[in-house]
Amino acid sequence: MQATHLRPATLPFVPSRNAALARLADFAPRAGRDYAANRNSDEGPGQRHNVSMLSPYLRFRMITEEEVLQAVLERFSLSSAEKFIQEVFWRAYFKGHLETRPQIWTNYLSDLAQLDRDTTDYAAAINGDTGIDCFDYWVQELKTTGYLHNHARMWFASIWMFTLKLPWQLGADFMYRHLIDGDPASNTLSWRWVGGLHTRGKTYLARPDNIAKYTNDRFHPKGLAAFALPLHDPHEVNSSFMPKALGQWPESDFGLLVTSEDLDISAASTAESIAIPEGAISKPGGIESDLALSFRHEALNDAALKAGESTQRIPSLSAAAVLEWCQKENIQSVAVAYVPVGPEADALAAIEAHLAQHDINLLRVRRHYDTLTWPHATKGFFALKAKLQQVLEKLPLQV
């Protein structure tokens, strides 16, 4: 079949906290058994009332996981909304898993840098010229909206690896650079899961009948792989200790550094000064899409507006820019919400070393939610799933 025409690229998500709260309020009443029954269906852009569409806001913590869980559990019991609540915790699981295995990220970047992009098959894939109706449509949808339904992401990755037989790193990179909600942990580990590298030997096969069923017969792909042999990973990856961090914000005498990784500015009221970069760190691998960049930049602007008059806009998340802010505001201690593995964590490591040369401390503050969930993310998701009730009881939820 011929793929439906897509409109030119425009941001499908309003990059503001108010928009995030409005979307949460709209979705929360549907987070129960209706979500569980219909969440795998993807009827295309503008038709996704069966899923929350909260991922860009959670990705950058324009709203927090606690706020989402609070809104859902005010209406439903854990058993009634467990499928959706599990989806919220999958994000924490992937982040915690990558925190204890940061070599997965560095190995991925190293492998990516050595792969050849100048091939006919790769060009056909990223231009949506493979002849596989659903895949070619998803390429254009990704480019024009910056978003794909989660089920479509799994099908896409499976077709990329097992039908087109392209390196998974190139596919993960393509998706990461175009997704508005692109996340180093969720994106990298999801691709590895589909390829049988995360849960060793367990792959995900995109089947024509499954795609037809869950896209309401929009697509009937031909020529898909009939089996999916697990990929081989040449790297040996061992679990390491999670980096140390503070458990709460300092009470006074600190400057608050905000990154696009965590735009929750609830600690701003006790900070001497607040620094928010004008722009976000670019994603590695290649040219990031205008949609993804625009969303993060506008989200930073929204956080700056909400942070108030003590906010200083610094040119970038760089050692020189942060030091200049500290010296201008006479700041001796900088606190920042813990930045998980990824480009901004790399930038923060350089900033910390530079500040230390000027006797300025950098304090990483890990959110209570992350501290509760990440220790259960060292193996498979089911170790965390088994602890959901205990974790929820330790969160400051009013239900």
Side-chain angles (χ1 to χ4, degrees):
M1 66 172 285
Q2 197 68 22
T4 306
H5 177 69
L6 288 165
R7 295 177 180 177
T10 54
L11 269 177
F13 299 89
V14 178
S16 74
R17 175 167 166 77
N18 287 344
L21 292 171
R23 183 153 289 184
L24 174 59
D26 176 68
F27 171 74
R30 305 194 303 275
R33 292 192 170 92
D34 285 347
Y35 170 84
N38 300 306
R39 66 192 180 94
N40 284 328
S41 295
D42 179 20
E43 297 188 10
Q47 305 297 320
R48 297 191 176 114
H49 307 296
N50 57 321
V51 291
S52 74
M53 303 287 283
L54 288 169
S55 58
Y57 304 116
L58 281 168
R59 161 69 182 93
F60 302 108
R61 279 194 166 144
M62 301 175 78
I63 53 173
T64 65
E65 291 86 348
E66 291 95 324
E67 288 176 299
V68 173
L69 294 169
Q70 173 77 44
V72 170
L73 290 171
E74 281 177 354
R75 296 167 172 81
F76 301 99
S77 65
L78 172 58
S79 60
S80 297
E82 187 170 7
K83 278 296 181 185
F84 176 73
I85 289 171
Q86 283 181 24
E87 291 303 314
V88 175
F89 279 96
W90 263 104
R91 183 176 298 275
Y93 166 74
F94 278 141
K95 284 188 179 293
H97 195 88
L98 197 60
E99 283 302 301
T100 60
R101 292 170 174 81
Q103 313 100 301
I104 290 176
W105 174 250
T106 54
N107 290 339
Y108 156 71
L109 293 180
S110 177
D111 292 344
L112 186 62
Q114 299 175 52
L115 290 170
D116 183 11
R117 298 171 190 256
D118 190 23
T119 69
T120 302
D121 290 345
Y122 176 71
I126 65 171
N127 291 318
D129 290 330
T130 68
I132 301 171
D133 58 1
C134 55
F135 185 90
D136 292 345
Y137 178 88
W138 292 326
V139 168
Q140 299 309 321
E141 182 180 358
L142 184 57
K143 290 180 176 180
T144 56
T145 71
Y147 182 85
L148 287 179
H149 185 286
N150 185 60
H151 209 168
R153 299 183 197 200
M154 295 166 61
W155 290 321
F156 185 103
S158 181
I159 293 170
W160 181 286
M161 287 183 268
F162 302 122
T163 297
L164 302 179
K165 299 190 181 304
L166 289 165
W168 75 266
Q169 297 93 335
L170 287 178
D173 166 67
F174 176 72
M175 189 175 283
Y176 176 54
R177 288 186 289 107
H178 284 84
L179 284 172
I180 288 173
D181 61 10
D183 175 80
S186 294
N187 188 67
T188 307
L189 296 180
S190 291
W191 274 78
R192 287 175 60 85
W193 183 87
V194 171
L197 298 174
H198 184 73
T199 302
R200 289 302 175 104
K202 182 178 181 180
T203 59
Y204 179 79
L205 179 65
R207 304 192 321 272
D209 60 334
N210 186 261
I211 293 172
K213 175 181 177 180
Y214 286 106
T215 61
N216 196 24
D217 282 325
R218 289 190 300 137
F219 303 111
H220 295 273
K222 306 293 184 184
L224 298 191
F227 55 88
L229 293 177
L231 303 182
H232 171 66
D233 188 353
H235 305 291
E236 186 68 33
V237 176
N238 298 311
S239 180
S240 60
F241 289 106
M242 202 171 296
K244 291 183 179 179
L246 296 178
Q248 58 186 14
W249 297 100
E251 294 183 1
S252 61
D253 301 327
F254 73 99
L256 175 64
L257 176 61
V258 176
T259 76
S260 66
E261 286 289 325
D262 193 320
L263 296 174
D264 174 18
I265 54 170
S266 54
S269 60
T270 57
E272 296 176 66
S273 177
I274 305 161
I276 299 181
E278 292 282 354
I281 298 287
S282 294
K283 297 175 182 177
I287 299 173
E288 183 175 1
S289 77
D290 289 340
L291 287 177
L293 272 173
S294 177
F295 185 91
R296 289 192 292 148
H297 289 179
E298 291 303 316
L300 284 163
N301 290 338
D302 182 70
L305 285 173
K306 288 181 167 51
E309 295 180 358
S310 60
T311 302
Q312 304 289 319
R313 299 308 299 272
I314 59 177
S316 61
L317 187 65
S318 65
V322 174
L323 177 62
E324 183 179 356
W325 162 63
C326 291
Q327 292 175 334
K328 178 183 175 183
E329 299 293 318
N330 195 28
I331 293 168
Q332 297 302 310
S333 182
V334 175
V336 60
Y338 189 93
V339 176
V341 170
E344 297 207 354
D346 297 338
L348 207 60
I351 291 170
E352 180 178 29
H354 193 60
L355 293 182
Q357 294 175 5
H358 296 269
D359 297 320
I360 300 171
N361 295 322
L362 182 71
L363 309 171
R364 292 172 172 82
V365 181
R366 186 180 293 127
R367 303 285 181 183
H368 183 50
Y369 176 84
D370 296 334
T371 297
L372 288 175
T373 54
W374 289 0
H376 304 299
T378 57
K379 296 182 180 178
F381 175 74
F382 291 100
L384 175 57
K385 178 184 175 183
K387 301 289 184 180
L388 287 190
Q389 183 66 55
Q390 294 177 35
V391 171
L392 289 169
E393 289 173 356
K394 293 178 181 179
L395 290 172
L397 304 178
Q398 315 246 325
V399 294

